[in-house]
Amino acid sequence: FGNLMDSDTDAFPGKPVYTPFICGEESFGTGGDHVREKDGMFAVLAWLQILAAENPDPAKPIVGVGDVTKKHWEKYGRNYYARYDYEGVDKPAAEKMMAAMVEAQPALIGTTVDGMKIAKADMFEYHDPVDGSVSKNQGVRFIFESGSRFVFRLSGTGVAGATIRMYLEEYAAPDADLTKHAFDVVKPIADIALKISKLTEYTGRTEPSVVT
C-alpha cells in the first residue's frame, strides 16, 4: 500500500488522495502513512484512545476492549475468520493444485456445494488506484452468495518447500449468534474448500500444520 500512503505527496501529483491512511493485517499489526511497517506503539495508543473515549466517567465500571468489540458486533455484525497453514508442502504439487482450481473456477460459478452457492470465483488482482499498476496472482478466491468466502495463497516464506495458506471467512449479521468460536463457524467453509481444492489428493496432507 506504499502508493496509497504516498498519494498526497509530490510523487503522485494530480492523483487522488488516500491519506490519512491506516491499515492493519491479520496478526493485528497496525501501520499507516506515518510509518511504513507495523507500529506496535501506535496500535497500543490507538486502543488507549478508544478506551479513554469509552470511559469518560471514572465512577462507572470500566468499559474494556471486549465490551467495545461486542458493541461493534451488535451494530455491524461479526466477521468470523480463520486460517489453515499447510507448511513444507511439495512446491510442484502445490502449484498444480492452484492451477487446477483456477481452471475449474468458471464452471463452478453458480453451482452449489454442500448447501452454499458460489457467486464469484477468480484469481484476485490488485488494481492500484494511484498509479494504475496491477498486481496479479494474489490469491484464488471463491465467494458465496452469503458473502462468506475462502482464499488460497502460496507462500515461499516457509523453512522448506511451499506453504499453502487457506483463508476462511463468514459474516454474521447483528441479529445472529455472535458468541460462537470462529473455528467452529468456518469449519463448513473449510470442508468445502478442501473438497474443491483436492488438497489432500495433491499434497497428501490430511491436517493443517497450524490453525490461527
Side-chain angles (χ1 to χ4, degrees):
F1 298 115
N3 286 348
L4 296 178
M5 298 177 187
D6 286 337
S7 61
D8 194 21
T9 68
D10 293 338
F12 297 103
K15 296 292 184 178
V17 174
Y18 294 92
T19 56
F21 180 85
I22 297 176
C23 60
E25 63 167 11
E26 60 195 307
S27 61
F28 304 105
T30 306
D33 55 290
H34 68 292
V35 62
R36 293 313 168 100
E37 296 295 336
K38 293 176 289 185
D39 185 347
M41 287 304 298
F42 173 77
V44 170
L45 290 171
W47 264 110
L48 287 174
Q49 182 61 52
I50 293 170
L51 294 178
E54 291 288 336
N55 292 276
D57 188 347
K60 293 183 177 180
I62 294 177
V63 176
V65 173
D67 300 310
V68 174
T69 301
K70 290 175 183 176
K71 182 179 177 182
H72 177 87
W73 291 345
E74 289 170 358
K75 184 174 182 179
Y76 299 103
R78 178 181 178 183
N79 286 83
Y80 287 97
Y81 166 86
R83 191 183 87 190
Y84 289 20
D85 286 359
Y86 297 83
E87 300 174 346
V89 175
D90 179 69
K91 187 174 181 180
E95 290 174 342
K96 286 182 181 179
M97 184 196 79
M98 298 288 283
M101 273 194 291
V102 172
E103 184 178 354
Q105 283 183 320
L108 288 170
I109 297 173
T111 64
T112 299
V113 183
D114 293 350
M116 299 185 70
K117 188 173 183 179
I118 298 172
K120 183 177 181 179
D122 62 9
M123 172 63 86
F124 178 64
E125 297 179 348
Y126 175 68
H127 293 255
D128 193 305
V130 179
D131 67 0
S133 61
V134 178
S135 299
K136 297 179 178 294
N137 302 319
Q138 296 301 301
V140 180
R141 300 191 303 177
F142 288 83
I143 303 172
F144 300 98
E145 276 191 336
S146 63
S148 300
R149 63 178 179 168
F150 66 86
V151 180
F152 279 91
R153 293 192 69 188
L154 280 184
S155 173
T157 58
V159 176
T163 296
I164 298 173
R165 303 195 192 281
M166 183 171 77
Y167 302 82
L168 310 160
E169 186 174 355
E170 179 167 322
Y171 171 73
D175 58 351
D177 184 353
L178 305 176
T179 63
K180 295 179 180 179
H181 194 290
F183 292 175
D184 296 331
V185 173
V186 302
K187 179 62 166 59
I189 301 174
D191 293 339
I192 295 173
L194 293 171
K195 182 180 295 186
I196 289 176
S197 67
K198 300 180 181 178
L199 185 145
T200 299
E201 179 180 323
Y202 279 101
T203 69
R205 299 295 181 87
T206 57
E207 298 291 337
S209 308
V210 183
V211 178
T212 54

